[in-house]
Amino acid sequence: MPLPKDSSLRVRFAPSPTGHLHLGGARTALFNFLLARHFGGTLVLRIEDTDRERSTQESIAAILDGLSWLGIDWNEGPFYQTQRLDRYRQLALDLLDKGLAYRCDCSAESLESRRDEAIKKGLPPRYDGRCRDRTIDPATPHVLRFRNPEGEVIVFDDLIRGQLSFDSAVLDDLIILRTDGMPTYNFAVVVDDVDMKITHVIRGDDHINNTPRQIPIFRALGAPLPDFAHLPMIYGPDRTRLSKRHGATSVMAYRDMGFLPQALVNYLVRLGWSHKDQEIFSREELIQYFDLDHVGSSPSVFNPEKLLWLNGHYLKNSSGKDLVPLVKEQLGPLTDPLPQASDPDHWTRVAEELKGRSKTLVELAQFARPFLDKSRAIDPEARKKILTPANIPVLEHLTLTLRSLSDWTGENLRNVFSQASEALHLKLGEIAQPVRVAITGKTVSPGIFDVLLLAGREATLARMDEALRLSREPLSDV
Ligand code: GLU
């Protein structure tokens, strides 16, 4: 259904702060954000913290951090439900006055035994309405229950799922205010959606069964119904709901694993939404194209390889300069910096040289370390295979000629290598490999001359000496 392009659209992201911002939550936030931006509307951030036992300040901070890392900003809020308790109480009492809610003093034990009985009789285990028409002294401990419509079919047009209908007979007279005066989840959500004038409720489809419970409350409050859109689930590769079993699910864990926020945003948006065959989207394009019409109704499967591929793409297309602070963050303080590491341009050159070979910032930082720090670890496999007696002549020859080189330039290095190749009757690749392992500790790296230039004369010679020493050691010591 096309939505009007105006500023009256109001959506919200309403996380419960009981953990990190996970991928599903981030996708919900992103879709709301993009829709608000696309239509010039308003995104409200609402923290649903009425579950006092499970809500924590750390989770609130983690959610806000996750959103800001992804570049998802909001126009209003954050509003906290715990700061609106009076409002929920007031509206619950209004419903009581109007006869749309009632007091219930059934004890937990009595509820339980009646429920058990219902189950035995093969009836649905729901509240049996015992207190609907009783008069209960307000001084006795009680809850307030919502008087659900009877014999009604609740129908709504989900913007993604199409028309959905639920028989009101399956709905409980749900509690809206607990004995301690705290509102329940479904009630607080509706009061907030009404007060915050939400026009479109876009959330995960784990909430789809709440919607028929919430619709009668909207009506009882005399409020217009928002449109609803329930986003399809995200599955793990085994087609069960994505969870920790499938690996990291928290957004910030992806930051720690070296992902760029642009890559994760691009990945998340494609979990359910498409725009023709396009896979890579700039932020501007997402805002320009995003709509609910192209959100599919079937679950999407989380594919870590695709995320990795996207991350590689975004790394490659970032400027070396922009990557430097991120590489620095990954590396932490250097143990024994090379002299050139004090030059900001050197860092940029290193990032520029390596960004196309790395899928994550963690990998990029690993590749970068030998060009920034005096210490570099040698991959044991590379040592075993390449730093062998057979390569001693190559290393000896090049150590000597490189040591006598006065000007450490690309051209001079190239000459040294081609002369060595001739003298030793070996191909350039054959003489480059032991040097590569000596300098970087790895068998893959940028071109050998770039490696030598980035490492610099001093580190190169020191590492060649060390490689020679290692090559002379018998293999059994390795
Ligand atoms: N607080 C709910 C959650 O975190 C979302 C409620 C809603 O979007 O209506 O799952």
Side-chain angles (χ1 to χ4, degrees), residues 12 14-16 46 48 185 189 193 201-203 206-207 214:
R12 83 306 194 264
S16 303
R46 180 167 86 216
E48 304 204 319
Y185 162 74
V189 165
D193 284 341
V201 169
I202 301 161
R203 59 186 168 201
D206 46 334
H207 287 288
Q214 293 175 4

Side-chain angles (χ1 to χ4, degrees), residues 70-269:
L70 290 172
I72 298 177
D73 41 21
W74 53 92
N75 309 94
E76 292 179 16
F79 298 111
Y80 294 85
Q81 288 190 323
T82 46
Q83 288 172 11
R84 291 175 41 78
L85 299 176
D86 288 346
R87 176 68 178 154
Y88 309 128
R89 277 177 208 144
Q90 177 211 328
L91 287 183
L93 292 174
D94 285 353
L95 292 182
L96 180 70
D97 284 347
K98 291 182 183 145
L100 297 167
Y102 60 89
R103 294 192 182 96
C104 166
D105 64 355
C106 294
S107 67
E109 299 80 48
S110 153
L111 285 171
E112 203 173 316
S113 74
R114 276 144 57 198
R115 208 168 289 148
D116 288 348
E117 237 156 78
I119 294 172
K120 266 189 221 146
K121 288 187 194 147
L123 298 169
R126 35 185 219 107
Y127 181 67
D128 56 9
R130 172 171 298 186
C131 296
R132 270 193 155 212
D133 301 310
R134 286 178 61 215
T135 308
I136 287 161
D137 178 358
T140 53
H142 63 271
V143 299
L144 289 189
R145 284 187 185 272
F146 182 67
R147 197 183 289 276
N148 239 316
E150 285 175 294
E152 211 188 281
V153 178
I154 295 160
V155 183
F156 66 94
D157 280 311
D158 188 282
L159 295 177
I160 295 170
R161 299 280 210 98
Q163 196 177 74
L164 297 171
S165 57
F166 297 80
D167 189 340
S168 71
V170 300
L171 306 173
D172 259 351
D173 275 355
L174 59 88
I175 296 174
I176 54 174
L177 215 57
R178 297 185 211 279
T179 317
D180 63 2
M182 284 299 270
T184 54
Y185 162 74
N186 275 307
F187 186 61
V189 165
V190 177
V191 171
D192 286 347
D193 284 341
V194 172
D195 283 352
M196 296 169 193
K197 299 188 167 45
I198 299 303
T199 58
H200 294 76
V201 169
I202 301 161
R203 59 186 168 201
D205 71 0
D206 46 334
H207 287 288
I208 209 151
N209 288 327
N210 286 325
T211 306
R213 293 173 210 283
Q214 293 175 4
I215 287 176
I217 303 178
F218 276 101
R219 293 198 184 123
L221 294 174
L225 276 189
D227 280 326
F228 292 95
H230 290 93
L231 306 174
M233 266 199 226
I234 306 176
Y235 279 164
D238 61 353
R239 302 212 139 246
T240 62
R241 197 197 163 101
L242 187 68
S243 73
K244 288 204 183 92
R245 283 182 302 114
H246 297 107
T249 53
S250 117
V251 162
M252 293 315 249
Y254 283 86
R255 187 189 68 168
D256 297 343
M257 289 188 287
F259 286 85
L260 293 172
Q262 309 88 292
L264 194 55
V265 161
N266 198 147
Y267 183 72
L268 288 174
V269 81

Side-chain angles (χ1 to χ4, degrees), residues 13-35:
F13 177 54
S16 303
T18 55
H20 291 279
L21 179 65
H22 53 83
L23 295 174
R27 184 192 56 166
T28 302
L30 179 64
F31 280 20
N32 277 290
F33 165 80
L34 290 174
L35 204 68

